[in-house]
Amino acid sequence: IRQLDGHTDWIMSVCASPDGKHLVSGSDDKSVRVWSLETGRQIRQLDGHTSGVSSVCVTPDGKDIVSGSSDASVRVWSLATSQQIRQLDGHSDWVRSVCVTPDGKHIV
């Protein structure tokens, strides 16, 4: 059991990478964070959402992170570089859950 210190507000969602090396968390502090499951240390912090992050998901190939937020956006991030790859707008309210299809072709 490990305690992962870093977020400054409620953690709303967590997801493990397919290879079991990383844990991704999304928080009401508006950030997505990447943690090493081996050491328990924070590796990256992904900032960009303007409101709390309600859901996170790692793509089946383990290369990208998808996050949904109460800012009504879905964002796609590179796990390796922490760079935002894409922002999907158009929702009229919170995005409470995100998921990637097993073939990695669709974000739902």
Side-chain angles (χ1 to χ4, degrees), residues 7 11 16 19 25 28 34 45 49 51 56 59 61 65-66 69 77 79 97 102 104:
H7 284 293
I11 294 173
D19 64 7
S25 58
D28 267 349
V34 180
Q45 179 172 330
H49 283 291
S51 194
V56 293
T59 57
D61 63 8
I65 299 164
V66 179
S69 169
W77 313 82
L79 180 60
S97 183

Side-chain angles (χ1 to χ4, degrees), residues 1-4 14-25 33-44 58:
I1 296 176
R2 294 190 188 274
Q3 181 172 322
L4 306 176
V14 294
C15 183
S17 62
D19 64 7
K21 293 182 179 179
H22 300 100
L23 180 75
V24 177
S25 58
R33 298 182 190 225
V34 180
W35 310 84
S36 165
L37 281 175
E38 183 179 336
T39 66
R41 293 186 183 180
Q42 181 180 311
I43 299 170
R44 293 178 185 80
V58 179

